[in-house]
Amino acid sequence: MNEFQLIKKYFAPLSLNNKGSFNLTDDIFFDYKKKIGISVDTYIEKIHFLNFKKPDLVIKKILRASLSDLLCKGLHPKYYFISASGNKNHFTKSNLIKINKILKSEQKKFSIKISGGDTVLSNKLSFTIIVVGYAKNKPILRNNAKENDDIYVTNYLGDPYLGLKILQSKKKIQYYKYFVKSFFSTNIPYKFSQKLFLFANSSIDISDGLYQDLNHIMSNSKLNYKLFEKKIPISNKLKQYLNSKKLNKNNFISKGDDYQILFTANKNKKKLIKRIAKKTNTLVTKIGVVIKNKLKKGHKSQGYIHKFS
């Protein structure tokens, strides 16, 4: 049983008559009266990050990943909470100073404020981050893609995954620093996200991999897609690496950790999207179209998924 099957069978039925929970099929809860959105994410050492040798970079990565859940819904993150489990080896004075410094920097960059949390003594290191944000309009969900919508993605895909592989293998390659930085310092499209409500019909952040997250949109919308795989944007540095090693591009764009926004929009929004992308200095690429046929089970289902049995 994977994480989605587990949620559908045991927890989704408990969310009935709770409009803002979306039957637990999306990444946030939203209170329509107060226009407040909430997301929760947990990160565990050796699963979501390799180790805690660079505590400031780990905290930066997981905080941005958590913000991404609200950003892809067109919400404006305002407050965050951190619960941490660990021990004296994890939370040394040196590490805490580094964590304090990076949080201060991230708070300034994204106009957010730490607002609470919890600490637990444990031999296992983990963090749970709750982000609270506000919406000027309704959140942009996964389940509202329309037939003939264009499919877009922000920035480049694949760089963070290569950064992870480099850290795992401990091998130095060309552009080593660039790829490692891509893994830890995700370029989340903060400014662009604040304009999503003007054009997006459906949206999700790419956390588990392009194809898997695109499947979430299509299965929830009961539609399918046609992708222009050659147009899926990757950086020139990743392109050079793939060409030199004769590797398949799909194996890098489908592994997750990108935290870019994947969204669909009506064709008549093309000029508006282009204008806002330019104004916010964000690369936005059309990579496909939504089609009517029902999504086939297992269709391009590569990506990361938690399995419990």
Side-chain angles (χ1 to χ4, degrees):
M1 182 177 291
N2 66 43
E3 56 186 300
F4 305 108
Q5 293 166 334
L6 183 151
I7 291 168
K8 183 177 180 180
K9 184 173 182 178
Y10 294 102
F11 298 108
L14 300 176
S15 71
L16 296 177
N17 302 317
N18 182 2
K19 181 182 178 182
S21 72
F22 312 116
N23 293 323
L24 307 187
T25 59
D26 219 303
D27 292 322
I28 68 167
F29 166 80
F30 189 76
D31 185 320
Y32 280 90
K33 288 185 178 179
K34 298 179 180 178
K35 294 188 175 180
I36 296 176
I38 301 171
S39 70
V40 183
D41 287 288
T42 296
Y43 305 89
I44 300 173
E45 187 178 21
K46 296 182 180 179
I47 295 178
H48 298 95
F49 55 94
L50 296 178
N51 53 55
F52 209 48
K53 292 179 180 179
K54 297 180 179 180
D56 49 342
L57 295 183
V58 169
I59 294 299
K60 177 192 273 192
K61 174 180 173 56
I62 65 176
L63 179 57
R64 291 191 181 189
S66 298
L67 293 174
S68 180
D69 278 343
L70 292 191
L71 294 180
C72 73
K73 303 302 166 190
L75 273 65
H76 181 74
K78 186 68 175 176
Y79 307 107
Y80 70 100
F81 303 75
I82 299 180
S83 287
S85 71
N87 56 42
K88 63 181 181 180
N89 296 319
H90 302 124
F91 302 121
T92 62
K93 183 177 179 180
S94 174
N95 282 355
L96 290 170
I97 289 172
K98 291 177 182 177
I99 291 170
N100 174 273
K101 185 177 179 179
I102 199 65
L103 287 177
K104 190 180 294 184
S105 174
E106 294 295 281
Q107 288 191 169
K108 184 177 180 180
K109 183 177 181 66
F110 298 112
S111 299
I112 55 176
K113 297 177 181 179
I114 192 166
S115 303
D118 193 17
T119 52
V120 179
L121 180 62
S122 172
N123 288 327
K124 291 193 175 183
L125 180 64
S126 71
F127 298 92
T128 293
I129 298 183
I130 298 172
V131 182
V132 179
Y134 297 86
K136 295 179 181 178
N137 299 273
K138 295 178 181 180
I140 302 145
L141 305 177
R142 300 178 180 184
N143 63 359
N144 201 39
K146 309 294 184 184
E147 185 182 355
N148 296 321
D149 269 5
D150 289 327
I151 302 171
Y152 293 89
V153 68
T154 60
N155 295 318
Y156 297 119
L157 305 184
D159 288 339
Y161 176 66
L162 181 52
L164 173 62
K165 299 304 290 182
I166 290 169
L167 290 168
Q168 288 174 330
S169 66
K170 299 179 181 179
K171 291 181 180 179
K172 291 290 182 74
I173 67 167
Q174 189 178 18
Y175 306 124
Y176 171 90
K177 289 184 178 180
Y178 168 82
F179 290 115
V180 170
K181 183 179 179 181
S182 295
F183 175 74
F184 283 118
S185 303
T186 306
N187 182 25
I188 53 177
Y190 175 76
K191 291 181 179 180
F192 182 80
S193 72
Q194 303 307 297
K195 302 296 183 181
L196 270 179
F197 70 93
L198 294 173
F199 49 79
N201 286 332
S202 62
S203 182
I204 193 172
D205 68 329
I206 302 178
S207 56
D208 297 327
L210 173 63
Y211 297 112
Q212 184 157 296
D213 288 316
L214 183 55
N215 281 353
H216 291 323
I217 288 180
M218 296 305 150
S219 61
N220 281 18
S221 304
K222 298 180 180 179
L223 292 165
N224 207 328
Y225 62 85
K226 179 180 180 182
L227 273 193
F228 314 137
E229 294 190 346
K230 290 184 178 180
K231 292 190 176 182
I232 297 171
I234 62 171
S235 67
N236 287 329
K237 291 180 177 64
L238 180 57
K239 193 177 296 182
Q240 289 178 39
Y241 176 79
L242 297 181
N243 289 339
S244 67
K245 301 291 184 179
K246 296 182 180 179
L247 296 173
N248 189 329
K249 171 181 170 180
N250 281 336
N251 291 334
F252 287 77
I253 62 172
S254 62
K255 302 299 184 181
D257 269 327
D258 292 297
Y259 299 105
Q260 294 305 319
I261 299 176
L262 176 67
F263 67 94
T264 75
N266 191 286
K267 293 183 182 299
N268 64 18
K269 300 294 185 180
K270 185 176 181 180
K271 289 183 179 180
L272 175 61
I273 293 168
K274 187 175 181 180
R275 187 163 67 246
I276 293 174
K278 184 177 181 180
K279 189 175 182 180
T280 59
N281 195 29
T282 307
L283 175 68
V284 179
T285 308
K286 176 183 171 181
I287 62 170
V289 294
V290 178
I291 58 178
K292 190 174 183 179
N293 301 337
K294 190 175 180 181
L295 187 72
K296 293 180 181 179
K297 191 175 181 180
H299 181 62
K300 287 279 188 181
S301 59
Q302 51 184 318
Y304 187 83
I305 190 169
H306 294 279
K307 295 181 179 179
F308 295 90
S309 62

